[in-house]
Amino acid sequence: MRPASGDGRYILAAAVTLAELAMRIGCRVDGDETIDVRRVASLDDAGPGDVTFLHNPKYAARVSATRASAVIADDRLTDAPCAVLRSSNPYLAFAEAVAALTPPAVSLPGISPLASVAASATLAADVSIEPFACVGERARIGARVVIESHAVISADVTVGDDSVIRAQASIRAGTVLGARVHVQDGAVIGSDGFGFARRPDGSHQKIPQVGRVVIEDDVEVGALCAIDRPAVGETHIGAGTKIDNLVQIAHGVRIGRNVLMAAQSGVAGSTTLGDDVIMAGQSGAIGHIALGAGVKLGAKSVATKDVAPGEHVTGIPAVPVDEWRESVALVRRLPALRRVLTDLASRLEALEQRLK
Amino acid sequence: MRPASGDGRYILAAAVTLAELAMRIGCRVDGDETIDVRRVASLDDAGPGDVTFLHNPKYAARVSATRASAVIADDRLTDAPCAVLRSSNPYLAFAEAVAALTPPAVSLPGISPLASVAASATLAADVSIEPFACVGERARIGARVVIESHAVISADVTVGDDSVIRAQASIRAGTVLGARVHVQDGAVIGSDGFGFARRPDGSHQKIPQVGRVVIEDDVEVGALCAIDRPAVGETHIGAGTKIDNLVQIAHGVRIGRNVLMAAQSGVAGSTTLGDDVIMAGQSGAIGHIALGAGVKLGAKSVATKDVAPGEHVTGIPAVPVDEWRESVALVRRLPALRRVLTDLASRLEALEQRLK
Amino acid sequence: MRPASGDGRYILAAAVTLAELAMRIGCRVDGDETIDVRRVASLDDAGPGDVTFLHNPKYAARVSATRASAVIADDRLTDAPCAVLRSSNPYLAFAEAVAALTPPAVSLPGISPLASVAASATLAADVSIEPFACVGERARIGARVVIESHAVISADVTVGDDSVIRAQASIRAGTVLGARVHVQDGAVIGSDGFGFARRPDGSHQKIPQVGRVVIEDDVEVGALCAIDRPAVGETHIGAGTKIDNLVQIAHGVRIGRNVLMAAQSGVAGSTTLGDDVIMAGQSGAIGHIALGAGVKLGAKSVATKDVAPGEHVTGIPAVPVDEWRESVALVRRLPALRRVLTDLASRLEALEQRLK
């Protein structure tokens, strides 16, 4: 797949018939498959010529009012005012429909004369480097990579084929990025880990952070994320992991494959996340613990110890989600419990008086 | 109003008489209105020639010790060692006094020869574009706009009159900014929403984020904020809304007018905030919910469901603030409640034994 | 000490004997001090020629399996399969060993012809200014300072000797940085404080933020931090303080010496932190309060009122850590307490019936 163009701009494809779209996104058509469609839009915004989608059953009632020409849905949708593109995974079909109807604008590859590229850097075929981007000594840039304006690729960095480094991202010395890695604007990869040793006088001596960050294929790093290098060894992110904006990944963290980290979450030093972990928004994990494969950590919660594979935990500190729900409910009932306690105490007192 | 200069530098105005300042900021003078003042300073720092202010009644006792030449205050201040500038809204009068006495240094408009401006971009009168800024194809830049160093205005962006885009901000393709919008350093507007569909093998397919971000007039976006574009439709921010630093606004969020979002707060996808909502520092709202007009969300809290207009909620999950206060107080009293419970249990046990 | 090179790259030193390393890092050698070592590595990764370290007693059992040539440890380590470098502060010795064996690559000082330096700026000896960096009018840059690519030093900024300003950091007008200050990539210092006064119509009037930020010697500012300037007076950070990534410091905050602020923590306006305060990850302090010297604030907690010197607090709102632990334990026991209460109620009821 061709990566997004350097300027993040998309174009509308020419109209296609519903039959052709259905074939490309793997759906079956219920209705007139000869009509033309041009665009994907939400249930409320869609009009004639648009394809919409029903992913969240919460919105099923709105389908009857849509003005779209077609809706992507699974077999549970029984009644629609337009053609239906049937899929067992409507959200995935929706993703493919957006890609089919709004391909990225193809930027012509080429090195801007306003970029700064070290003579010792090696660039594979069809690389795009925009104005004011910097590529450092001995950096190795893969085929079809896009390096946007003001991005900094420091010395000895490797960037795999088809990766996109967006504007103002900073990839510090020695970092290794795989293929199809997508780094959004302003992200910093390879910043110094927060490592200091206390001197006898109470001041802090910096531990040089001379390890490196390694990011495998197909990882997305959101805007304004910080991923630190460690003093020794590696900070490592597994293939297919997707990281939202403003996320902190500390030195020596190891993250598995296909992990999802939502915005403003953070992981402290040397902690490991297994494959398929999901960290919700504003959640955190303290240092030196392990979250097993498939763990889900709730929004705004903090894991403070190891979590077994597959567990769903939340709260501060994080506990199994059922336990957390019960605690929250009981805390809300504390005023009532206190009234019961007061009532019991006075009745017991009365009984004691009577029997004195 | 002339926007802040490109380099964020302010100059001191020449001295003015208290009478003139009072007229400009809409105050009444108690005391000698012929004296000269030059600067606004805090109660503790102010000296002769300075104007200070009493906004927070907590600090009223410090007025007697101030060395300022004048103090801005409301009618509750009965005793001051200097002239008093009376205002029913001292904080607003303070704001106006700072603006009157420290006007921004006016930067001469002009396009730096070190900037990169696409030939197809249109620039209105008196635009300033600093070194290394980039303006993309077909961008439309309004009158008197300042684009600081390293800011990136991508293709097809619109920037309204008198807006200021500070250093290293990135405004991605297709974004629309109104008039007098102020984007601070390093903010990213139009980054890709965090939208992925799970493939049958467990990996994540990116949903192209081809919608756009629209920001109305008089909005401030703090340093290092991320505002995502959605897959379809818009992320929308209403006029007069002010956003602090390091805030996350996800794809498809709709924010009303005059909203305040404090630092490190975040809103997940497709959530809506009514007019005049206040989100305190480090707070969050999960996706697909609605906070009504005038809702206040407490520091470090998380809204997990719809909140009715005007409610003041806090906690994780957020509940009405009175309920939260009672819960916190009762949790702190849990050790005492447990002792009562233990005591009741032993007394009941004794009674039961006696009556056996 | 020579600051890290502009490109954040480190080189391996030639091999040294254990005797020489021991002398340089202040350790005593148990074992063969004639062997050569080249690198510092973790217990698990180390091989022949490497020095490893035992800092956390949790990992003591792993020493027996290490393949390292030497281990840095204190006297509690009684049995090792290799030489031991004895230190009463192994973590500090480890820091020094990393510095000894991996010195920063020395970048040749010089001003890139691709940088933009104002004619009125003054540069001391041996300054490095990389491509696309900007130095504004009247800025004063100390000796041996490194200003990396795309960093912006605005007008009237002072940068002390041996400081390093990394890529894409923005130091706004009037900021004062001491000696050996290290600002990581993308950090913003001197952004506008979040100060607005409400107008009668409900809209917000910006208070010009014309104060300044002053940062003393030996401070580290992490990647993507925001440190705001105030409307009047200063935001001030004391010598030796270390700040991790994505941290927010609001306008008018005063921070003492040798403070540690972990990632994603934040301090609201006008709050003060005494010397040696430690704020853990994702913690916060509301505005207008004081944390005394030596206060520790736990991960994800929020201080909502003054905290006495030396206290260790945590929770939302923060309370003494022992009290918090007891509350958490009791909340987890609430289901059991409720069962006890229900049991007591039914037994009391039975007693009352019997005695009726």
Side-chain angles (χ1 to χ4, degrees), chain A residues 182-188 220-225 243-246:
Chain A
H182 183 195
V183 179
Q184 292 204 50
D185 307 61
V188 179
E220 175 149 340
V221 176
L224 302 168
C225 288
I243 301 169
D244 202 350
N245 303 327
L246 292 163

Side-chain angles (χ1 to χ4, degrees), chain B residues 4-351:
Chain B
S5 80
D7 67 359
R9 198 162 53 85
Y10 297 86
I11 53 174
L12 281 182
V16 299
T17 64
L18 207 55
E20 183 180 337
L21 179 64
M23 194 188 66
R24 287 168 67 180
I25 69 174
C27 290
R28 194 184 76 237
V29 180
D30 282 355
D32 180 357
E33 64 182 24
T34 66
I35 60 172
D36 280 349
V37 290
R38 289 171 187 276
R39 197 180 71 137
V40 180
S42 70
L43 277 168
D44 294 342
D45 292 341
D50 291 344
V51 175
T52 188
F53 58 100
L54 176 66
H55 165 54
N56 191 333
K58 181 175 167 184
Y59 300 130
R62 295 196 200 164
V63 171
S64 61
T66 191
R67 298 168 53 243
S69 294
V71 58
I72 301 169
D74 62 22
D75 288 339
R76 289 176 296 178
L77 180 70
T78 51
D79 199 31
C82 58
V84 181
L85 289 157
R86 296 287 178 190
S87 168
S88 58
N89 188 340
Y91 201 53
L92 186 57
F94 155 64
E96 289 168 347
V98 175
L101 294 178
T102 41
V106 175
S107 62
L108 293 179
I111 316 301
S112 166
L114 297 178
S116 167
V117 180
S120 59
T122 56
L123 311 182
D126 296 327
V127 164
S128 297
I129 303 184
E130 298 191 353
F132 311 127
C134 293
V135 178
E137 300 289 346
R138 296 169 303 282
R140 288 176 297 279
I141 309 298
R144 296 169 302 281
V145 164
V146 176
I147 300 175
E148 291 191 1
S149 296
H150 306 98
V152 176
I153 311 295
S154 290
D156 302 300
V157 166
T158 298
V159 181
D161 293 348
D162 296 304
S163 289
V164 177
I165 313 298
R166 288 195 170 174
Q168 298 147 340
S170 176
I171 316 295
R172 297 202 62 90
T175 297
V176 177
L177 304 183
R180 295 172 304 281
V181 169
H182 183 196
V183 179
Q184 291 204 49
D185 307 62
V188 179
I189 301 180
S191 36
D192 284 357
F194 195 62
F196 299 89
R198 199 138 208 162
R199 297 192 193 97
D201 68 358
S203 66
H204 305 287
Q205 170 152 341
K206 184 177 177 76
I207 301 168
Q209 304 288 304
V210 302
R212 65 176 187 171
V213 177
V214 175
I215 295 183
E216 297 182 0
D217 296 345
D218 297 301
V219 168
E220 174 150 340
V221 177
L224 302 168
C225 287
I227 303 178
D228 281 351
R229 67 196 297 185
V232 298
E234 282 180 13
T235 303
H236 195 102
I237 299 181
T241 285
K242 309 296 184 185
I243 301 170
D244 201 350
N245 303 327
L246 292 163
V247 169
Q248 155 76 1
I249 296 178
H251 52 298
V253 165
R254 298 191 73 86
I255 293 180
R257 297 164 63 95
N258 294 330
V259 166
L260 295 177
M261 297 183 68
Q264 297 175 314
S265 59
V267 181
S270 301
T271 280
T272 63
L273 272 62
D275 295 345
D276 303 307
V277 164
I278 298 177
M279 288 183 63
Q282 301 183 334
S283 65
I286 70 161
H288 296 273
I289 64 172
L291 308 191
V295 162
K296 292 183 187 175
L297 187 57
K300 204 80 169 194
S301 64
V302 176
T304 58
K305 57 183 185 183
D306 290 356
V307 181
E311 276 210 76
H312 184 175
V313 297
T314 196
I316 307 174
V319 294
V321 70
D322 289 340
E323 180 182 335
W324 179 81
R325 284 209 190 95
E326 189 175 13
S327 291
V328 166
L330 282 171
V331 166
R332 295 192 71 167
R333 289 186 51 196
L334 277 178
L337 291 179
R338 186 174 56 157
R339 282 192 296 275
V340 171
L341 193 60
T342 306
D343 172 60
L344 287 187
S346 63
R347 283 158 58 195
L348 185 59
E349 173 78 18
L351 226 49

Side-chain angles (χ1 to χ4, degrees), chain A residues 114-116 132-134 138 150-152 154-156 168-170 172-173 186 188 191-192 194 196-200 202-210 224-226 228-229 231-233 246-248 264-266 282-284 288 300-302 305 316-317 319 323 326-327 330-331 333-334 337 340-341 344 347-348 351 354-355, chain C residues 5-10 40-42 45 53 56 58-59 89 91-96 98-99 102 114 131-132 148-150 166-168 182 184-186 220 223-224 240-246 258-264 276 278 282 299-300 316 324 328 331-332 334-336 338-339 341 344-345 348-349 351-352 355-356:
Chain A
L114 297 178
S116 167
F132 310 127
C134 293
R138 296 169 304 280
H150 305 98
V152 176
S154 290
D156 303 300
Q168 298 148 340
S170 177
R172 297 201 62 89
V188 179
S191 36
D192 284 357
F194 195 62
F196 299 90
R198 199 136 207 163
R199 299 193 192 96
S203 67
H204 305 287
Q205 168 152 342
K206 183 177 178 78
I207 301 167
Q209 304 288 304
V210 301
L224 302 168
C225 288
D228 281 352
R229 68 196 298 185
V232 298
L246 292 163
V247 169
Q248 155 76 0
Q264 297 175 315
S265 58
Q282 300 183 334
S283 65
H288 296 272
K300 204 82 169 191
S301 64
V302 177
K305 56 182 185 182
I316 307 173
V319 294
E323 181 182 334
E326 189 175 14
S327 291
L330 282 172
V331 167
R333 288 187 52 196
L334 277 178
L337 291 180
V340 171
L341 193 60
L344 288 187
R347 285 159 56 196
L348 184 58
L351 225 50
R354 218 173 104 191
L355 296 172
Chain C
S5 78
D7 66 359
R9 198 160 54 83
Y10 297 85
V40 179
S42 70
D45 292 342
F53 58 101
N56 191 334
K58 181 175 166 183
Y59 300 129
N89 188 341
Y91 201 53
L92 186 57
F94 154 64
E96 288 167 347
V98 175
T102 41
L114 298 178
F132 310 128
E148 291 191 1
S149 296
H150 305 98
R166 288 196 170 173
Q168 298 147 339
H182 183 194
Q184 292 205 49
D185 307 62
E220 174 149 341
L224 303 167
T241 285
K242 310 295 184 184
I243 301 170
D244 201 350
N245 303 327
L246 292 162
N258 296 329
V259 166
L260 295 177
M261 296 184 68
Q264 298 174 314
D276 304 307
I278 297 178
Q282 301 183 333
K300 204 83 172 192
I316 307 174
W324 179 82
V328 167
V331 166
R332 295 192 70 168
L334 276 177
R338 186 174 57 159
R339 282 192 297 275
L341 193 61
L344 287 188
L348 185 59
E349 173 80 18
L351 224 51
E352 286 171 333
L355 296 172
K356 200 178 278 178

Side-chain angles (χ1 to χ4, degrees), chain A residues 24-217:
Chain A
R24 287 167 66 179
I25 69 174
C27 290
R28 191 182 80 237
V29 180
D30 283 354
D32 180 359
E33 65 179 26
T34 66
I35 59 173
D36 280 350
V37 289
R38 289 171 187 276
R39 196 181 71 139
V40 180
S42 70
L43 277 168
D44 295 340
D45 292 341
D50 290 345
V51 175
T52 188
F53 58 100
L54 177 65
H55 165 53
N56 191 332
K58 181 176 166 183
Y59 300 130
R62 294 196 200 163
V63 171
S64 61
T66 191
R67 296 168 54 243
S69 293
V71 58
I72 300 169
D74 62 23
D75 288 339
R76 289 176 297 179
L77 180 70
T78 52
D79 199 32
C82 58
V84 181
L85 289 158
R86 295 290 178 189
S87 169
S88 58
N89 188 339
Y91 201 53
L92 186 57
F94 155 65
E96 288 167 347
V98 175
L101 294 177
T102 41
V106 176
S107 63
L108 293 179
I111 315 301
S112 166
L114 297 178
S116 167
V117 179
S120 59
T122 56
L123 311 182
D126 297 327
V127 164
S128 297
I129 303 184
E130 298 192 353
F132 310 127
C134 293
V135 178
E137 300 289 346
R138 296 169 304 280
R140 289 175 296 280
I141 309 298
R144 296 168 303 280
V145 164
V146 176
I147 300 174
E148 291 193 1
S149 297
H150 305 98
V152 176
I153 311 294
S154 290
D156 303 300
V157 166
T158 298
V159 181
D161 293 348
D162 296 304
S163 288
V164 178
I165 312 298
R166 288 195 170 174
Q168 298 148 340
S170 177
I171 317 295
R172 297 201 62 89
T175 298
V176 177
L177 304 182
R180 296 172 304 282
V181 168
H182 183 195
V183 179
Q184 292 204 50
D185 307 61
V188 179
I189 301 180
S191 36
D192 284 357
F194 195 62
F196 299 90
R198 199 136 207 163
R199 299 193 192 96
D201 68 356
S203 67
H204 305 287
Q205 168 152 342
K206 183 177 178 78
I207 301 167
Q209 304 288 304
V210 301
R212 65 176 187 170
V213 178
V214 175
I215 295 184
E216 297 182 0
D217 297 344

Side-chain angles (χ1 to χ4, degrees), chain C residues 101-316:
Chain C
L101 294 178
T102 41
V106 175
S107 63
L108 293 178
I111 315 301
S112 166
L114 298 178
S116 167
V117 179
S120 59
T122 56
L123 310 182
D126 297 327
V127 164
S128 297
I129 303 185
E130 298 191 353
F132 310 128
C134 293
V135 177
E137 301 288 346
R138 295 169 303 282
R140 289 174 297 280
I141 310 298
R144 296 168 303 280
V145 164
V146 175
I147 300 175
E148 291 191 1
S149 296
H150 305 98
V152 176
I153 311 295
S154 290
D156 302 301
V157 165
T158 299
V159 181
D161 293 348
D162 297 303
S163 288
V164 177
I165 312 298
R166 288 196 170 173
Q168 298 147 339
S170 177
I171 316 295
R172 297 201 62 91
T175 298
V176 177
L177 304 182
R180 296 172 304 281
V181 169
H182 183 194
V183 179
Q184 292 205 49
D185 307 62
V188 179
I189 301 180
S191 36
D192 284 356
F194 195 63
F196 299 90
R198 199 136 207 163
R199 297 193 192 95
D201 68 358
S203 67
H204 305 287
Q205 170 153 342
K206 183 176 178 78
I207 302 168
Q209 304 289 303
V210 302
R212 64 176 187 170
V213 178
V214 175
I215 296 184
E216 296 182 359
D217 296 345
D218 297 301
V219 168
E220 174 149 341
V221 177
L224 303 167
C225 287
I227 303 178
D228 281 352
R229 69 197 295 184
V232 298
E234 282 181 12
T235 302
H236 195 102
I237 299 181
T241 285
K242 310 295 184 184
I243 301 170
D244 201 350
N245 303 327
L246 292 162
V247 168
Q248 156 76 0
I249 296 177
H251 52 299
V253 165
R254 298 190 74 85
I255 294 181
R257 297 165 62 96
N258 296 329
V259 166
L260 295 177
M261 296 184 68
Q264 298 174 314
S265 59
V267 180
S270 301
T271 281
T272 64
L273 273 60
D275 295 345
D276 304 307
V277 164
I278 297 178
M279 288 184 63
Q282 301 183 333
S283 66
I286 70 161
H288 295 273
I289 64 171
L291 308 191
V295 163
K296 292 185 186 176
L297 187 57
K300 204 83 172 192
S301 64
V302 177
T304 58
K305 56 182 184 185
D306 291 355
V307 181
E311 276 210 75
H312 184 176
V313 298
T314 196
I316 307 174

